[in-house]
Amino acid sequence: MKKKSFYSFFAVFLAAMLMLAGCFGGKEETAKPADGDSGKKTEETKGPKVLKLNNTEEPGALHPGLAQGTHDSWILEGTFEGLTKKTPEGKIVEGMAEKWETSEDGLTWTFHLRDGIKWSNGDPVTAEDFEYAWKFVLNPKNASTYAYQLYYLKGGTEFNSFKLTKSKDSKKLAEQDKKLKELEDKVGVKAKDEKTLEVTLASSTPYFLDLTSFYTYYPISKKVQEATPKWYTEASTFVSNGPFKLTEWKHKESLKIEKNENYYDKDNIKLDAVTFAVIDKETTAYQMYQNGELDMVYPIPQDVLPTLKDNKEFHNGPDLSTYYFNLNNKVKPFNNAKVRKALAMAIDRKTIVENVAQGGQQPAYSIVPPGIPEGDNGDYQENGGDLFSENVDEAKKLLTEGLKEEGLSKMPKFSIVYNTNEAHKKIAEAIQEMWRKNLDINVTLENVEFQVKIDREHAGDYQISRAGWIGDYVDPMTFMDLWVSDGPYNDAKWSNKEYDQYIKVAKESMDTATRMDAMHKAEKILMDEMPVLPIYFYTKPYVLKENVTGFFTPINRYPQYIYADIEN
């Protein structure tokens, strides 16, 4: 009797203590299973699955038509979806579109949308939303820097290239709007009905289907855009059509996206939410990872990389991207090709990748990275080979000649602009020392926020800047058309008519051999002129907690979390 009474009292006391612990918070503990209990948690005790990631910068624009960097696209790729999407193996599969057909000449594509697809606010996603979104990008009034990605559409170039007047005359503005509408109506994208989108290209484009999975081709809600033009700047007004929806945005601090119950494939989305801590310091992010505050970190501090090679949480995926320096070709003496080439030839890339970057990167002696097939003829980059070499003696000779041609006896002072990132700083410092030692020139370093760097590059307000480019699609053209004259991402401000012509041939031809030959010739011109300095071809080294599954790394995307899961 006494024994039974004691245990009854203890059970009541324990229950009371547990209730109090719940009231006052603290770390949640999981009770050990009683005899005969399987120990399995019920759905009620598991709690939500929240994946914790880091975003290296505050997003510049979470709008598919205005975004222009990975600090935007990593979140957009989880909150939006295009006509197609990519599998972990890189295969292009059905997204918002359930099927499509193309004409024999490759100029007309007809996409049929799925039944029942919805925006996160419950409205139906229609073919008109795609038409509206693509024309939004091309409309010169919206100043989309990625508008050129839609030049493949018939009439796209003409619409976007229309020069807007600065006149305040209402009559002239009305005439301008009329002309814009005429050009817009000629663009090759048309909603035939709510579920059918017809696309007409300016010329056959072998990689067009790949482009439809890229974020500039995502839809936006016409209804939302017209009612709330700044919908994309706050979580409270954000509307998307992807696996997740934006529910919280503490600017310059963090973002949270939650599972979108209106997404057609929601049953295959295992996470309840993903949080993004805005952290520009790699060491801080890695410390948070070690403390359990983050589940995955990319990029990793360079001095940590050598210690992780045998770590089960370390992964190193492929990356279709190049690390390079822009040279402002409009600023003396960087307008001189000999000076530019001297700077390129005086950089020891092997030392940088082995002792500074330390992520398995490959020294770059061309601009297009490996990983792009040249039809059935192997890898494009391997076929092209090295297009220049390092040679300090030749670099000194070229620098002397180039400076003399510009009426200079020595190199003037200049700076390297790089965005806040410890890795970029260390690489800039290494190159600064190489140029001092090999060419006897002094360089200063200037650190700015990422968006500031982008804005200054577009404005030409720099001398040398750190840059990187991830291929938007798997074709050499995603790199090669960056430096066409007047190209929106030609931050080097370089122009070469012969180069432009080869790019034109490669864009218009459907013959693989002709296209690849033209791009190889164009790339040789680029490296002979050296308007940019290739440093290395990226890899994607990251750490991921062992209980997180389902991550995959497409060759031209950040590591993908969409189908990730967390094992409790």
Side-chain angles (χ1 to χ4, degrees):
M1 292 287 291
K2 289 182 180 179
K3 188 174 182 181
K4 182 177 180 182
S5 299
F6 172 77
Y7 281 110
S8 297
F9 169 79
F10 183 77
V12 172
F13 176 79
L14 179 61
M17 291 302 98
L18 289 173
M19 288 177 67
L20 285 171
C23 292
F24 291 105
K27 187 175 179 181
E28 181 183 2
E29 297 289 341
T30 303
K32 294 181 180 179
D35 292 343
D37 190 341
S38 66
K40 293 182 179 178
K41 293 182 180 180
T42 64
E43 288 300 319
E44 289 74 23
T45 60
K46 281 185 178 179
K49 294 182 177 182
V50 181
L51 184 70
K52 297 167 290 186
L53 306 177
N54 69 301
N55 205 42
T56 55
E57 297 281 345
E58 166 78 359
L62 289 184
H63 186 303
L66 301 175
Q68 56 178 321
T70 49
H71 59 317
D72 303 325
S73 64
W74 205 26
I75 297 166
L76 289 175
E77 286 163 359
T79 52
F80 281 84
E81 184 171 285
L83 293 167
T84 62
K85 59 184 179 182
K86 289 189 176 181
T87 67
E89 298 74 32
K91 182 182 178 183
I92 302 166
V93 297
E94 300 82 356
M96 288 284 112
E98 64 178 358
K99 60 181 180 179
W100 52 82
E101 305 99 32
T102 183
S103 59
E104 288 187 14
D105 60 8
L107 291 176
T108 303
W109 293 73
T110 305
F111 295 90
H112 304 275
L113 302 190
R114 296 175 183 270
D115 290 330
I117 49 178
K118 297 179 181 180
W119 291 102
S120 56
N121 66 358
D123 292 340
V125 177
T126 68
E128 187 180 14
D129 289 325
F130 278 93
E131 177 185 349
Y132 179 82
W134 295 7
K135 288 180 176 178
F136 176 95
V137 173
L138 287 168
N139 192 324
K141 287 186 175 181
N142 297 320
S144 171
T145 52
Y146 252 120
Y148 75 96
Q149 288 289 21
L150 286 156
Y151 283 7
Y152 300 99
L153 303 184
K154 181 180 179 181
T157 304
E158 293 79 3
F159 182 31
N160 185 248
S161 301
F162 181 79
K163 301 298 182 184
L164 298 173
T165 180
K166 294 182 179 179
S167 172
K168 294 183 179 180
D169 186 295
S170 59
K171 185 176 180 181
K172 288 184 178 180
L173 291 174
E175 291 174 355
Q176 174 179 271
D177 288 343
K178 181 181 178 181
K179 180 61 177 177
L180 276 173
K181 187 65 171 67
E182 291 173 358
L183 291 169
E184 179 181 346
D185 290 342
K186 293 178 181 179
V187 174
V189 56
K190 181 69 177 175
K192 306 298 288 184
D193 55 46
E194 285 194 352
K195 291 183 56 184
T196 310
L197 186 73
E198 184 178 86
V199 181
T200 305
L201 304 183
S203 60
S204 298
T205 306
Y207 45 88
F208 179 69
L209 199 60
D210 196 323
L211 280 168
T212 61
S213 70
F214 185 62
Y215 62 82
T216 310
Y217 281 78
Y218 290 164
I220 58 173
S221 169
K222 178 182 179 182
K223 176 182 173 182
V224 171
Q225 180 68 48
E226 292 183 341
T228 313
K230 296 294 184 181
W231 60 269
Y232 58 93
T233 61
E234 299 293 341
S236 59
T237 51
F238 198 85
V239 176
S240 59
N241 71 319
F244 298 90
K245 58 186 179 182
L246 182 66
T247 57
E248 183 178 278
W249 189 353
K250 297 178 181 178
H251 290 280
K252 296 191 176 182
E253 182 180 330
S254 65
L255 301 95
K256 183 178 183 180
I257 60 177
E258 296 184 30
K259 183 175 179 178
N260 178 11
E261 292 299 327
N262 286 321
Y263 183 56
Y264 68 90
D265 198 27
K266 64 180 180 181
D267 291 344
N268 286 317
I269 305 303
K270 308 302 181 185
L271 297 174
D272 294 295
V274 182
T275 59
F276 298 85
V278 178
I279 309 166
D280 59 12
K281 292 188 180 298
E282 293 174 354
T283 52
T284 302
Y286 187 67
Q287 286 169 0
M288 290 176 68
Y289 176 83
Q290 289 179 304
N291 294 336
E293 299 172 76
L294 294 175
D295 296 311
M296 179 265 191
V297 165
Y298 175 72
I300 302 170
Q302 290 176 324
D303 56 355
V304 173
L305 281 169
T307 70
L308 294 173
K309 293 181 180 178
D310 297 323
N311 191 316
K312 290 181 180 179
E313 297 180 356
F314 176 72
H315 304 266
N316 201 354
D319 206 356
L320 191 69
S321 55
T322 305
Y323 193 107
Y324 62 95
F325 276 9
N326 281 308
L327 301 176
N328 191 337
N329 287 226
K330 295 294 185 183
V331 175
K332 195 172 183 176
F334 306 112
N335 59 313
N336 189 290
K338 289 181 179 178
V339 172
R340 300 193 298 262
K341 200 150 191 177
L343 294 174
M345 297 176 76
I347 297 172
D348 183 350
R349 290 160 179 79
K350 185 178 179 182
T351 293
I352 289 174
V353 299
E354 291 183 356
N355 300 327
V356 185
Q358 301 184 90
Q361 297 88 348
Q362 177 182 329
Y365 300 98
S366 59
I367 203 68
V368 178
I372 301 176
E374 189 168 331
D376 297 324
N377 191 34
D379 185 272
Y380 174 91
Q381 190 274 333
E382 291 179 4
N383 290 342
D386 294 347
L387 298 181
F388 69 98
S389 60
E390 295 159 6
N391 187 320
V392 174
D393 290 337
E394 181 66 14
K396 289 178 179 177
K397 177 174 173 291
L398 287 172
L399 182 63
T400 300
E401 292 176 359
L403 291 175
K404 185 176 181 180
E405 289 173 3
E406 300 304 318
L408 299 170
S409 58
K410 65 178 183 177
M411 194 73 173
K413 293 181 179 180
F414 64 93
S415 65
I416 299 172
V417 175
Y418 68 93
N419 54 291
T420 306
N421 181 288
E422 291 161 45
H424 300 330
K425 179 182 179 182
K426 290 179 180 179
I427 291 169
E429 287 174 340
I431 292 175
Q432 176 188 44
E433 175 59 19
M434 290 172 186
W435 284 343
R436 185 200 65 78
K437 178 182 177 182
N438 296 332
L439 299 177
D440 193 27
I441 57 179
N442 294 313
V443 189
T444 58
L445 306 182
E446 186 179 359
N447 168 223
V448 298
E449 291 184 358
F450 188 40
Q451 194 61 47
V452 172
K453 182 190 82 79
I454 290 175
D455 293 342
R456 285 183 57 178
E457 286 170 333
H458 291 345
D461 180 22
Y462 76 97
Q463 294 157 315
I464 297 182
S465 70
R466 184 228 62 98
W469 190 261
I470 301 173
D472 299 329
Y473 47 92
V474 186
D475 188 274
M477 187 59 73
T478 189
F479 291 88
M480 297 307 297
D481 69 358
L482 291 175
W483 294 285
V484 294
S485 299
D486 300 322
Y489 280 91
N490 183 0
D491 295 326
K493 316 302 178 188
W494 175 72
S495 179
N496 183 291
K497 290 182 179 179
E498 188 179 8
Y499 181 89
D500 292 347
Q501 183 57 36
Y502 279 129
I503 298 304
K504 186 173 185 292
V505 169
K507 280 192 171 184
E508 294 179 352
S509 176
M510 283 296 287
D511 180 70
T512 299
T514 300
R515 293 185 69 248
M516 296 299 171
D517 179 65
M519 285 189 282
H520 279 303
K521 288 176 179 175
E523 190 174 14
K524 187 175 188 310
I525 292 172
L526 188 72
M527 293 294 92
D528 284 343
E529 290 279 317
M530 204 63 73
V532 296
L533 312 180
I535 308 299
Y536 61 71
F537 299 129
Y538 279 94
T539 53
K540 276 201 284 278
Y542 63 96
V543 284
L544 178 70
K545 297 297 184 183
E546 287 189 87
N547 67 327
V548 179
T549 61
F551 256 77
F552 64 97
T553 54
I555 193 170
N556 63 332
R557 296 284 192 275
Y558 260 37
Q560 298 290 296
Y561 52 84
I562 294 167
Y563 293 107
D565 195 4
I566 299 175
E567 297 177 353
N568 292 314

